[in-house]
Amino acid sequence: MDGLKLLVGLVVLASVTATPAVAASAGGTPTASATTGDTAATTQPPLDTTVGQAQNDAPPETADEYLAAFNQLSGTPAFEQYTEFETIRSLAVSKLQVVEFDDATEREMGTVLALLRSFNESYTAAQNGSVGESLSAANGTSDHVRALEEQGLTYAPLADLALSRFYENRGDALLQSASDVTRTPEKIQLLGQAATAFRQAGATQKYSQVNLRVEELRSEYERDVTAMNAAEERAGGFLDSCSSCDGVSAVASGELFGTFALYQESGGTLADVRDAEQRADENALSDRESRLATLRTDISSARTTLALASGVLLVGYGLLVALVAMLVTHRLVVWRRTVDAANVGEIVVLQGGHDA
């Protein structure tokens, strides 16, 4: 690492006395480089940095202004941890002090300053826990690295090395954060951000492992959400069809087979809601778990009412059947007695005639 820094430093210092034709050869009028989606590198330093210059301040225009801007970046925590950027800052300061400040030098210093400010913004956002902002600013830093490469500037390898390490460190930190999270949507988001960071760092193996985990977790979560949606829909339909299930008398006034059908339906619906509630708990979806718990309570209450109403109807129908059976039996007994009495009378008459 120190050897690479020394080599780059020697190359830059050697180019100080040379005509900065390489920078100009990148294309007369500077244009924006290709972007990764968030920011583009231009020859004017972007106004999205926070150290040494407010966002609304005008960019440096003279050598002295650039020196002041670079000096204000000295000693920042970002450059103390990622010393490659401090080396780049020092090299830029050294070059400003010995070369003529022409248009090519101004374009070079503008790109370098934008690079340093962008990385410092990314580092600061990471320290503040702003994951999305940090990665977005790091993508902007990556754009500035490419701009350095397109201009043929020798700062690029150092910047790329440090930025790759920063991305990998962010990926490791996000991976740890994801392991401490229980809510599945948040875990998926953090793992996805970690996978992105590893991809940007060029850590292929880590990216593949984390990305596979993201896909598996997302697939499981989508299945659970589908099951929860289906359970809530079935529960809503059941409660709508059982609007009179708030009292035994109301249910018992209905038809017998309809009550039995609702009772059987309540069993399957209750099982689905309990399963969905468990899935919500496993995914740490507290709001949805609470909603499903309420549905479970309502369905359980309705099921109890239906069970009591079914019992009442069974007893009622049983008594009715028993009463009908008693009436039929009584009529049969009366009829049998009448028949027996008639038969006895006929026998008596017949016997009396024989004696005569």
Side-chain angles (χ1 to χ4, degrees):
M1 180 67 69
D2 292 336
L4 177 58
K5 294 179 184 177
L6 179 58
L7 176 60
V8 173
L10 291 173
V11 172
V12 172
L13 291 176
S15 66
V16 163
T17 57
T19 301
V22 176
S25 67
T29 302
T31 58
S33 68
T35 66
T36 56
D38 294 310
T39 55
T42 66
T43 56
Q44 294 297 329
L47 304 180
D48 59 351
T49 56
T50 57
V51 177
Q53 178 181 335
Q55 284 188 332
N56 295 327
D57 290 348
E61 295 180 352
T62 66
D64 289 340
E65 289 176 355
Y66 272 104
L67 279 173
F70 283 128
N71 287 333
Q72 286 174 332
L73 289 169
S74 178
T76 59
F79 302 161
E80 290 177 355
Q81 181 170 349
Y82 294 88
T83 56
E84 294 89 344
F85 287 104
E86 174 59 26
T87 301
I88 293 172
R89 188 198 68 82
S90 300
L91 291 172
V93 169
S94 299
K95 186 169 184 178
L96 276 172
Q97 293 173 336
V98 296
V99 300
E100 179 183 357
F101 189 76
D102 54 14
D103 290 343
T105 303
E106 183 178 2
R107 286 195 295 270
E108 176 181 335
M109 293 301 127
T111 304
V112 172
L113 184 59
L115 169 82
L116 297 177
R117 285 176 170 170
S118 177
F119 180 75
N120 183 69
E121 180 184 355
S122 179
Y123 178 88
T124 302
Q127 296 304 303
N128 293 336
S130 302
V131 177
E133 182 181 347
S134 175
L135 292 179
S136 177
N139 291 339
T141 305
S142 181
D143 292 339
H144 297 314
V145 172
R146 284 198 295 274
L148 291 174
E149 294 173 345
E150 291 172 1
Q151 294 181 36
L153 300 176
T154 52
Y155 309 99
L158 276 179
D160 186 58
L161 184 65
L163 185 59
S164 295
R165 193 167 79 255
F166 174 78
Y167 270 124
E168 186 165 5
N169 289 342
R170 293 309 307 146
D172 290 335
L174 288 166
L175 202 58
Q176 180 59 46
S177 297
S179 67
D180 297 333
V181 168
T182 56
R183 193 170 186 272
T184 302
E186 185 178 352
K187 183 185 288 290
I188 291 174
Q189 181 183 19
L190 289 171
L191 287 174
Q193 290 171 333
T196 299
F198 287 136
R199 185 185 65 219
Q200 293 292 90
T204 307
Q205 184 174 1
K206 287 184 177 180
Y207 166 73
S208 299
Q209 292 174 346
V210 176
N211 190 58
L212 178 60
R213 175 58 179 149
V214 170
E215 294 302 322
E216 291 176 346
L217 191 59
R218 182 181 288 116
S219 178
E220 293 172 2
Y221 178 67
E222 289 174 353
R223 284 199 300 270
D224 287 344
V225 169
T226 299
M228 287 184 280
N229 290 340
E232 286 187 356
E233 183 178 355
R234 182 176 183 181
F238 168 76
L239 292 174
D240 288 343
S241 65
C242 195
S243 57
S244 61
C245 292
D246 54 348
V248 174
S249 59
V251 178
S253 63
E255 57 177 302
L256 175 62
F257 295 107
T259 302
F260 286 161
L262 282 174
Y263 178 73
Q264 291 178 341
E265 175 66 16
S266 69
T269 303
L270 186 59
D272 283 353
V273 170
R274 282 174 174 165
D275 175 70
E277 187 179 1
Q278 182 178 355
R279 291 173 187 264
D281 176 64
E282 291 172 352
N283 289 282
L285 304 176
S286 57
D287 291 343
R288 191 146 201 185
E289 184 181 2
S290 176
R291 187 162 67 248
L292 287 164
T294 300
L295 286 174
R296 172 176 51 79
T297 300
D298 293 343
I299 295 171
S300 181
S301 176
R303 180 172 171 78
T304 300
T305 301
L306 287 168
L308 293 174
S310 298
V312 169
L313 288 173
L314 284 174
V315 171
Y317 274 83
L319 291 174
L320 180 61
V321 170
L323 179 60
V324 171
M326 288 175 61
L327 291 174
V328 171
T329 301
H330 177 70
R331 297 294 296 175
L332 289 174
V333 169
V334 171
W335 175 77
R336 181 59 183 267
R337 286 177 179 176
T338 301
V339 171
D340 290 342
N343 289 336
V344 170
E346 182 179 352
I347 292 172
V348 170
V349 171
L350 289 174
Q351 288 178 348
H354 179 74
D355 291 340

